[in-house]
Amino acid sequence: LSRRAATLVVSWALLAACSTGGAPVVAAPQPSLSVGAKTVPSAGVGTVAEALRLAGVEIPTGRVLSVRTHRALGPDTRPGRVLVDGQPTLPAAPIAPGAVITVERGGDETEPLETVTVPVPANKGIASLRVGSHPGTIRVTRGAISHELLSSAPVKAAFDGTLISSRPIALTFDDGPSPKYTGQILDVLARAHVHATFCIIARQAAQYPALVRRIVVEGHKLCNHTFDHDEHLARKSPAQIRAALIKAQEVISEASGGVAPTFFRAPGGNWSPQLEQIARSLHLTPLKWNVDPDDWKRPGVARIQSRVVATSHPGSIVLLHDGGGNRDQTVVATRYFLAKFQSLKYSFWVPRT
Ligand SMILES: [Zn+2]
């Protein structure tokens, strides 16, 4: 679909009178300007621009395209061309009777490039069990308007900080509160004097506020896990994402008796840079994980326990589930691996916001 092909022909027609020798002079027809079916008189028209204005014809502009995906950016700004008898001409040029004026759409052009140094967040921008981290920098070449990335080269490496203690680990429990399992998990944690983070589904928080208050009172942290476990949140508009996070935040805060979650975890781990950025703008730290025993698939207590122990290392954030289905195996496995971690001198922390 080439809008460029669309041309308008403005023909300047003049049936010039010819007078030869002593022959009688024939009255000449009025010089006229024809635009398609339209004919306008050309009397008093001195320049190309005046002819176009009289015909109501504009010189169409072209598009600026992004450097990588070639999408059109902003209003069309590339000037088009005007040709007289096929020759590019300035609009201010004088027009001679009989000439043919053509306008051509401005050519599409790729946006300019810029090379800039941008920060790179430490810990990939996620909550962690580290202190003293600092961001790095990276030099990128990108579209000056779209910021679409063409190439990048590290300048200064980010420093992910040092571990918060010698062998820290964090447990996170998702998809609760559950009337059947959250209390059991809280009992297991309390007996071991371990604090964890609970990623709460707001709809359930409204149903079981006493459990949310117990989580808070017993020293655990709250994480916003959306109102109804929306796994497609990242695909929604910024306004929808923002409204969804705020709604869940309000419902959970009310259930907890006024304690607001400080973390956000995307259901299904379906993150996007935009989702993370909006969470941060609401003072919610994105809470990811790097140990996932798939406990919700109920692979057996022994398997959950051995997966957690085998794949954890100092600094790990472990994903577990106290809600969303039968969590008998998670309750028992947690009891076992807590004892194992304590014998391995791990200490339990809540990630830093
Ligand atoms: Zn979940």
Side-chain angles (χ1 to χ4, degrees):
L1 167 94
S2 172
R3 289 203 276 149
R4 193 175 184 174
T7 56
L8 282 163
V9 178
V10 181
S11 67
W12 180 279
L14 174 67
L15 301 174
C18 22
S19 70
T20 49
V25 173
V26 177
Q30 273 297 306
S32 64
L33 182 70
S34 70
V35 186
K38 199 164 137 197
T39 302
V40 287
S42 61
V45 174
T47 65
V48 171
E50 284 167 15
L52 292 171
R53 198 158 46 240
L54 189 66
V57 172
E58 288 185 359
I59 306 169
T61 52
R63 300 173 302 174
V64 176
L65 304 178
S66 72
V67 71
R68 208 177 167 131
T69 64
H70 311 297
R71 65 188 165 88
L73 300 169
D76 297 352
T77 53
R78 303 301 307 164
R81 292 200 307 172
V82 55
L83 301 101
V84 173
D85 293 332
Q87 295 303 308
T89 307
L90 290 175
I95 185 73
V100 173
I101 304 173
T102 310
V103 292
E104 232 180 46
R105 189 171 181 281
D108 292 341
E109 184 153 315
T110 302
E111 66 179 317
L113 296 181
E114 65 178 12
T115 298
V116 289
T117 302
V118 296
V120 176
N123 299 309
K124 298 195 175 86
I126 64 168
S128 81
L129 301 175
R130 293 169 177 272
V131 288
S133 62
H134 62 70
T137 49
I138 195 165
R139 194 131 178 95
V140 301
T141 299
R142 64 187 185 186
I145 302 168
S146 69
H147 289 186
E148 287 176 2
L149 193 63
L150 271 192
S151 66
S152 67
V155 176
K156 183 180 140 201
F159 178 56
D160 287 343
T162 53
L163 290 172
I164 210 165
S165 71
S166 67
R167 295 174 70 77
I169 197 163
L171 303 182
T172 63
F173 292 92
D174 284 20
D175 301 350
S178 147
K180 183 151 185 204
Y181 301 104
T182 301
Q184 294 184 57
I185 291 287
L186 287 169
D187 291 344
V188 169
L189 296 174
R191 272 197 295 275
H193 306 286
V194 164
H195 288 147
T197 306
F198 286 80
C199 297
I200 303 278
I201 298 174
R203 189 208 297 274
Q204 291 160 214
Q207 275 177 285
Y208 310 109
L211 283 171
V212 184
R213 283 197 292 277
R214 186 178 161 199
I215 289 168
V216 170
V217 165
E218 297 191 0
H220 307 288
K221 295 293 179 199
L222 297 177
C223 171
N224 179 330
H225 200 37
T226 74
F227 183 79
D228 51 5
H229 209 264
D230 182 356
E231 297 193 2
H232 307 295
L233 193 57
R235 288 198 231 141
K236 296 190 169 163
S237 73
Q240 287 173 317
I241 293 173
R242 214 182 136 77
L245 294 192
I246 290 172
K247 177 186 176 187
Q249 196 73 357
E250 285 172 355
V251 172
I252 297 168
S253 301
E254 181 166 350
S256 70
V259 178
T262 48
F263 298 99
F264 169 72
R265 176 170 282 171
N270 296 329
W271 298 97
S272 72
Q274 182 176 63
L275 181 53
E276 288 184 46
Q277 186 259 314
I278 293 170
R280 281 182 200 286
S281 75
L282 296 169
H283 308 291
L284 292 169
T285 302
L287 181 57
K288 300 184 182 176
W289 61 85
N290 45 27
V291 172
D292 179 3
D294 270 346
D295 64 319
W296 60 275
K297 292 181 183 166
R298 311 187 71 238
V301 169
R303 216 164 255 170
I304 296 173
Q305 183 205 357
S306 63
R307 283 176 186 168
V308 169
V309 173
T311 57
S312 290
H313 52 83
S316 286
I317 297 176
V318 184
L319 170 65
L320 297 155
H321 295 80
D322 65 322
N326 184 324
R327 301 294 174 240
D328 278 335
Q329 293 182 4
T330 304
V331 172
V332 179
T334 301
R335 194 159 61 225
Y336 289 165
F337 69 67
L338 280 184
K340 181 69 178 173
F341 277 142
Q342 285 174 328
S343 77
L344 292 170
K345 305 291 180 216
Y346 275 93
S347 58
F348 294 89
W349 296 77
V350 163
R352 295 170 65 83
T353 52

